[in-house]
Amino acid sequence: MTSGGGPAEGRVIVALDVDTLALAESLVERLTGAVFAFKVGLELFTACGADAVRAVTRQGGRVMLDLKLHDIPETVARATARAADLGVAFMTLHTGGGRRMMEAAAQAARTAGGATRTLGVTVLTSMEDADLAEVGVPAGAAATVELRARLAIASGLDGVVASPREAAAIRALSPTNFLIVTPGVRPAGAAADDQRRVATPRAARDAGANYLVVGRPITHAADPRAAALAIAGELA
Ligand code: C5P
């Protein structure tokens, strides 16, 4: 069992990809105890702001605040400190912001008490080699993911967000307590939606993922709680 997760909570982080507090609160209510944490991303945060985070924590849920921060070190450090003030469990930033930005964020999280763990996005899974070359990153996705994961480790981040496909390579180069969080997870037989490089929950775990971000297979299910527990069961 992963640290902090109850018997049924396991490793699933459910993506609250909705646009109102009422929808977010209703999902949290249905899923409390069935998932490890709730991901508040750009849509919900833009629509509802920090109240979205408070809505989850008020109901006792952990939050992964997925804003993929990418700015100058001071700005990212200060935003990380504010996320820590809100009590989020995980905060994402973009490794493309460089070593000093990541070091500043990691330091800010530690200074705030260490309860907020910093996760670096290596390369967006929507980008292929040609897309990277077009923005001046000719090394390709696989090599860039490894290089940035090493830099995230050296900069003191607590983990990375990566596709299940990249998880094994990152696990091989990272310390044992380094966290790998993978989206793009689909139970066998579930619709892939717009995800391209999907893996089953078990495959993601076996590749070295500590936590799995799952959205629509849970939130669009007729019974979200049953869907979450089925995934947890597959991982148990
Ligand atoms: O519904 P689905 O399971 O595809 O949702 C996955 C969630 O993970 C979404 O919130 C998506 O934005 C996020 N995500 C992703 N791939 C990444 C990073 C985040 O799918 N590389």
Side-chain angles (χ1 to χ4, degrees):
M1 188 51 53
T2 46
S3 59
E9 290 179 319
R11 323 167 169 246
V12 174
I13 299 176
V14 64
L16 294 178
D17 292 328
V18 294
D19 60 359
T20 67
L21 281 182
L23 285 169
E25 281 168 344
S26 132
L27 279 168
V28 174
E29 198 179 311
R30 288 160 153 231
L31 292 169
T32 293
V35 296
F36 181 76
F38 298 88
K39 184 169 90 71
V40 174
L42 289 171
E43 180 189 8
L44 182 58
F45 196 81
T46 302
C48 305
D51 283 346
V53 174
R54 295 187 191 100
V56 178
T57 55
R58 200 168 38 236
Q59 295 186 68
R62 297 183 190 85
V63 173
M64 171 178 173
L65 185 56
D66 185 23
L67 301 181
K68 300 183 179 68
L69 303 179
H70 189 169
D71 210 315
I72 60 171
E74 174 74 4
T75 300
V76 169
R78 295 176 73 90
T80 302
R82 299 294 79 77
D85 290 345
L86 284 170
V88 312
F90 302 108
M91 172 82 207
T92 64
L93 47 130
H94 204 293
T95 57
R99 181 191 294 266
R100 283 187 296 113
M101 187 203 81
M102 288 189 272
E103 285 175 350
Q107 182 59 49
R110 282 194 297 271
T111 302
T116 298
R117 291 189 276 181
T118 49
L119 302 175
V121 175
T122 52
V123 172
L124 294 172
T125 48
S126 53
M127 297 190 83
E128 298 178 340
D129 289 0
D131 303 304
L132 286 168
E134 209 167 30
V135 294
V137 182
T144 304
V145 165
E146 289 198 30
L147 180 131
R148 290 184 177 179
R150 287 184 201 280
L151 191 60
I153 294 163
S155 304
L157 296 194
D158 297 300
V160 287
V161 182
S163 87
R165 187 180 288 200
E166 295 144 4
I170 296 170
R171 182 50 73 212
L173 61 81
S174 57
T176 45
N177 60 352
F178 193 68
L179 297 173
I180 301 176
V181 179
T182 61
V185 175
R186 289 292 180 271
D193 303 306
D194 56 350
Q195 296 282 14
R196 288 289 173 271
R197 302 182 338 195
V198 300
T200 62
R202 199 172 292 178
R205 179 202 62 191
D206 291 347
N210 300 91
Y211 299 106
L212 282 51
V213 173
V214 185
R216 288 159 290 182
I218 293 175
T219 57
H220 289 190
D223 184 343
R225 187 176 185 86
L229 289 173
I231 295 172
E234 191 179 326
L235 294 167

